[in-house]
Amino acid sequence: MDRAPGGGPPPEPGAGTGPVPAAGPGGPPLVVACALGIEKLALRSGGGRSGAAGPVTVVRTGMGPAQARRTVARTLAAGPWRDAAVIASGFCAGLAPGMHPGDLIVAEETRDAEGVTACVGTGPLVDALTRALPGRTVHTGPLTGSDHIVRGPERAALRAGGAIAVDMESAATLRTALAAGARPVAAVRVVVDAPEHELVRIGTVRGGISAFRVLRAVLPAFFEWHRSLLLPRR
């Protein structure tokens, strides 16, 4: 199981077991939050679990902003993870024409009805993902939040407002993390469907499988982003 700083087990708000990312000694912790069991499986079963700057846990929040708020607040209230950097990850719907399943979204900011949250270290995160997943397209821009699955004309309206992708948990996750204390936050999502490739069920069509494989490969980039935050500023 994941090990907290000092050796105790972290809170486990969501179900699921699996291989654990290696933790570097003495560094600051990192929490990676996702909504679904299949997302947690991808994140925890991927290779490259070495290189973390400190203890790491992958937390399943459950679907929707309300579940994300509750789970993230509970996780960060526990002493070992109180000062952790937080990355919201998992799948999303792409909004821009030309996007494909398996494309990566790195949020410059997250948006929802409650406001805007700026993300930290977008450039280093894009660079790290490009190295970890050569040949994959990485899009940057605003990631918008919704409390329901968005389809058809509603997606077009969100795109007209400048968003490049939509999911249900990232905005709530990052806002809740910052409400619990100042920390670096980021959001990285994998496009599972897009305007020309609408998905009905994850894992039963080619796009879902492609997105799963990409999500399995992102942890080394997350660790590189996390380490980059510790470098002295020049």
Side-chain angles (χ1 to χ4, degrees):
M1 71 189 309
D2 297 331
R3 303 304 298 176
E12 191 61 86
T17 59
V20 181
L30 172 65
V31 171
V32 181
C34 59
L36 303 176
I38 192 171
E39 294 169 334
K40 185 172 183 178
L41 175 63
L43 287 162
R44 292 181 60 153
S45 64
R49 289 183 292 274
S50 63
V56 180
T57 188
V58 179
V59 176
R60 179 168 68 86
T61 65
M63 285 185 66
Q67 295 239 58
R69 283 191 294 269
R70 285 193 294 269
T71 303
V72 172
R74 185 166 66 243
T75 301
L76 298 180
W81 307 99
R82 191 180 303 276
D83 298 320
V86 174
I87 295 181
S89 195
F91 303 130
C92 70
L95 300 176
M99 286 184 171
H100 296 88
D103 284 2
L104 287 148
I105 303 294
V106 177
E108 295 175 338
E109 63 185 30
T110 59
R111 304 172 174 178
D112 65 5
E114 297 188 38
V116 175
T117 300
C119 296
V120 174
T122 299
L125 193 45
V126 169
D127 292 344
L129 288 164
T130 300
R131 285 189 288 271
L133 290 140
R136 287 288 175 183
T137 302
V138 182
H139 306 269
T140 61
L143 173 62
T144 196
S146 174
D147 61 2
H148 59 279
I149 294 174
V150 177
R151 299 192 183 280
E154 195 173 0
R155 289 191 185 189
L158 293 173
R159 174 60 181 162
I164 63 169
V166 58
D167 77 278
M168 296 173 65
E169 297 82 25
S170 291
T173 292
L174 300 196
R175 187 173 55 254
T176 303
L178 290 176
R183 70 192 71 244
V185 295
V188 176
R189 293 276 171 172
V190 181
V191 174
V192 75
D193 69 343
E196 295 91 350
H197 306 272
E198 189 158 323
L199 178 67
V200 178
R201 294 177 58 198
I202 292 174
T204 60
V205 297
R206 191 172 181 179
I209 294 169
S210 174
F212 181 87
R213 288 173 176 165
V214 171
L215 193 60
R216 286 190 68 193
V218 298
L219 271 183
F222 292 0
F223 297 161
E224 187 174 337
W225 169 83
H226 192 211
R227 290 195 306 272
S228 78
L229 302 174
L230 309 178
L231 298 175
R233 301 298 178 195
R234 294 176 183 247

